[in-house]
Amino acid sequence: MVVKSALVFVVVAVLLTYYCNEPVPPDIAHPTQFASFGVVMRTVWNMAILGEYLGIGTEPQNLRYILGSLIGAAQRVKGTSYREGLDCRDTMFNRVRVRVYEPVSVAKSGAKVPGLVYIHGGGWIMLSVDVFDELTARVAKELGIVVVSVEYRLAPEHVFPAAFDDCVAATKFFLQNAELYNVDRTRVGISGDSSGGNLAAAVTLALAKEKGLPKLKTQALIYPALQALDFNTPSYIDHGHLNTLSKEKMISYWLWYLNNDSSFKEVFGANNHTSEQLKKSQYAGYVDHKMVRPNLRPKVVTPVKKESIKFPEIPNIATILDPRFAPLMADDDDLKDLPPTFVMTCEYDVLRDDGVMYATRLRKAGVRVEHDHYERAFHGFLPQNDVNEVAETAVQNYISYLKKNL
Ligand SMILES: *[C@@H]1O[C@H](CO)[C@@H](O)[C@H](O)[C@H]1NC(C)=O
Ligand SMILES: *[C@@H]1O[C@H](CO)[C@@H](O)[C@H](O)[C@H]1NC(C)=O
């Protein structure tokens, strides 16, 4: 009995210490929630690493399994009553699994409504359409539109460009067959969060060049990951220690998606994956810190042909300049044809500057941009809108942007 109580005491003390050591920005909205989220992420990562060490699955497989189970359990408690009034179907678009949300009223009336392709986040390696079911259902219902949520293939089992190819294939199918879903093909937008924001931006760039397809009406990017060239942007430097999404973990995600070779984590973290020549090229200008810190002098760059850029010996490394992988690497000429764009960013997010830079460059290229920034929020805060009023405001602003721009 005494031994048991002592054990419980030790476990509680360890957890509490763990919890109290969580870095919490002083002005964050809902500090307790932020700290809990950080502790959960840190614990899940440590379990995933321990699992790999013990020979139970690889780190990304374990992350996928543990987070998937936790979120699945929470969702089962909550139920799916939010789906009422929607017809939700799992089907295939061009051999890609998708979930289609169609308001019952739309099917009944037969009127043509707008459509939205949604691409979920999860570092390209985990999560699913299920995890974002409530958000995608809400968008379909509140706007009376058809939403298609894409179950693209995940890394590292499927490295780049698998996820990109799936999202392009599904989006094209939707545009080509819009009428089958009572959708007006000239009013289809695309959206995604985090790695899904990366994929949504990449698909938008690719389809802007595509002939014989209706143009996407808008792209709405929620704290997107847009570049793997510079891991020392001000937001990586200022917020790379936060466990909600640390610099180290973000680099792990990029590497699983790029080549499944995590041995380059430190090299990337030190920006040693790019040559001096590349650091002075136009690509460095695409991530110029001046876009975030206006008092800096603009970076002096020398245009270089992509083919002549040298890289260290790292598998697939030239891919970091491919806009299908990293949309912020698109040339100005490719940006100017993009549709009106919504970019949501949070202050406490290593990806903040990816979003800020993309918004800045798109505006400069003449694209209409709405940039929605949340000073007291963190990466991944959106699905916590039940208990975080800043997140609920963000969801409402996102939906009202879509309402006006689809
Ligand atoms: C990814 O790399 C890890 C570590 O080298 C390896 O164990 C795993 O099998 C690889 N995964 C895939 C899908 O290739
Ligand atoms: C990065 O490169 C610098 C300069 O060559 C070197 O001093 C440093 O050790 C490297 N760091 C890593 C992690 O590769």
Side-chain angles (χ1 to χ4, degrees), residues 35-208:
S36 314
F37 187 42
V39 169
V40 168
M41 288 308 289
R42 190 149 52 110
T43 310
V44 169
W45 271 92
N46 289 343
M47 285 167 73
I49 293 167
L50 181 68
E52 179 170 297
Y53 177 76
L54 296 175
I56 321 165
T58 63
E59 198 177 322
Q61 283 170 343
N62 295 340
L63 277 174
R64 199 180 294 157
Y65 177 77
I66 302 168
L67 268 180
S69 312
L70 283 176
I71 298 170
Q75 285 184 324
R76 272 192 297 281
V77 171
K78 206 163 166 187
T80 53
S81 55
Y82 57 78
R83 279 185 173 195
E84 222 170 277
L86 290 175
D87 176 15
C88 306
R89 268 168 298 163
D90 289 336
T91 175
M92 306 286 266
F93 278 10
N94 264 344
R95 283 190 242 128
V96 178
R97 290 189 293 149
V98 298
R99 181 171 295 163
V100 181
Y101 303 80
E102 187 178 356
V104 174
S105 56
V106 171
K108 267 200 200 123
S109 79
K112 298 271 178 288
V113 296
L116 182 75
V117 174
Y118 192 84
I119 308 175
H120 72 78
W124 302 280
I125 64 145
M126 61 181 168
L127 309 190
S128 64
V129 298
D130 276 336
V131 173
F132 291 82
D133 194 59
E134 189 167 356
L135 178 68
T136 41
R138 176 170 171 185
V139 171
K141 212 151 116 175
E142 278 192 28
L143 296 179
I145 67 171
V146 176
V147 175
V148 172
S149 189
V150 186
E151 199 76 282
Y152 55 88
R153 284 171 294 169
L154 299 176
E157 287 79 0
H158 305 278
V159 292
F160 174 82
F164 168 79
D165 286 344
D166 286 357
C167 294
V168 167
T171 307
K172 270 191 183 176
F173 182 96
F174 190 39
L175 285 167
Q176 285 160 345
N177 298 282
E179 279 71 22
L180 296 178
Y181 298 88
N182 300 309
V183 167
D184 175 350
R185 63 171 69 199
T186 67
R187 298 179 68 191
V188 174
I190 190 165
S191 180
D193 62 286
S194 198
S195 55
N198 163 283
L199 291 164
V203 171
T204 306
L205 277 164
L207 294 193

Side-chain angles (χ1 to χ4, degrees), residues 108-335:
K108 267 200 200 123
S109 79
K112 298 271 178 288
V113 296
L116 182 75
V117 174
Y118 192 84
I119 308 175
H120 72 78
W124 302 280
I125 64 145
M126 61 181 168
L127 309 190
S128 64
V129 298
D130 276 336
V131 173
F132 291 82
D133 194 59
E134 189 167 356
L135 178 68
T136 41
R138 176 170 171 185
V139 171
K141 212 151 116 175
E142 278 192 28
L143 296 179
I145 67 171
V146 176
V147 175
V148 172
S149 189
V150 186
E151 199 76 282
Y152 55 88
R153 284 171 294 169
L154 299 176
E157 287 79 0
H158 305 278
V159 292
F160 174 82
F164 168 79
D165 286 344
D166 286 357
C167 294
V168 167
T171 307
K172 270 191 183 176
F173 182 96
F174 190 39
L175 285 167
Q176 285 160 345
N177 298 282
E179 279 71 22
L180 296 178
Y181 298 88
N182 300 309
V183 167
D184 175 350
R185 63 171 69 199
T186 67
R187 298 179 68 191
V188 174
I190 190 165
S191 180
D193 62 286
S194 198
S195 55
N198 163 283
L199 291 164
V203 171
T204 306
L205 277 164
L207 294 193
K209 289 184 191 287
E210 191 84 31
K211 301 260 181 308
L213 265 187
K215 296 227 168 305
L216 285 171
K217 190 91 193 292
T218 186
Q219 59 175 341
L221 313 175
I222 300 169
Y223 31 74
L226 299 170
Q227 59 91 23
L229 185 77
D230 184 359
F231 291 105
N232 280 328
T233 60
S235 57
Y236 269 107
I237 290 176
D238 292 348
H239 306 310
H241 63 295
L242 298 177
N243 289 307
T244 42
L245 178 63
S246 69
K247 169 174 167 170
E248 185 200 346
K249 302 310 185 197
M250 192 59 227
I251 292 174
S252 292
Y253 291 135
W254 277 114
L255 280 169
W256 281 321
Y257 185 41
L258 178 69
N259 61 15
N260 186 36
D261 194 338
S262 301
S263 66
F264 290 103
K265 252 187 340 196
E266 283 76 26
V267 174
F268 273 60
N271 272 350
N272 282 359
H273 63 307
T274 56
S275 57
E276 282 311 311
Q277 175 206 29
L278 181 50
K279 286 186 173 87
K280 292 184 188 127
S281 72
Q282 70 273 26
Y283 296 105
Y286 297 165
V287 291
D288 191 345
H289 296 188
K290 184 172 176 60
M291 290 184 269
V292 188
R293 300 269 185 264
N295 53 339
L296 292 178
R297 278 203 221 144
K299 193 160 181 77
V300 180
V301 300
T302 317
V304 191
K305 279 216 174 73
K306 206 179 226 173
E307 305 75 60
S308 65
I309 290 180
K310 290 179 194 58
F311 288 98
E313 285 285 317
I314 299 171
N316 298 354
I317 187 67
T319 300
I320 65 166
L321 299 184
D322 186 338
R324 299 175 306 159
F325 179 78
L328 199 51
M329 296 298 109
D331 294 328
D332 293 339
D333 248 8
D334 296 326
L335 297 182

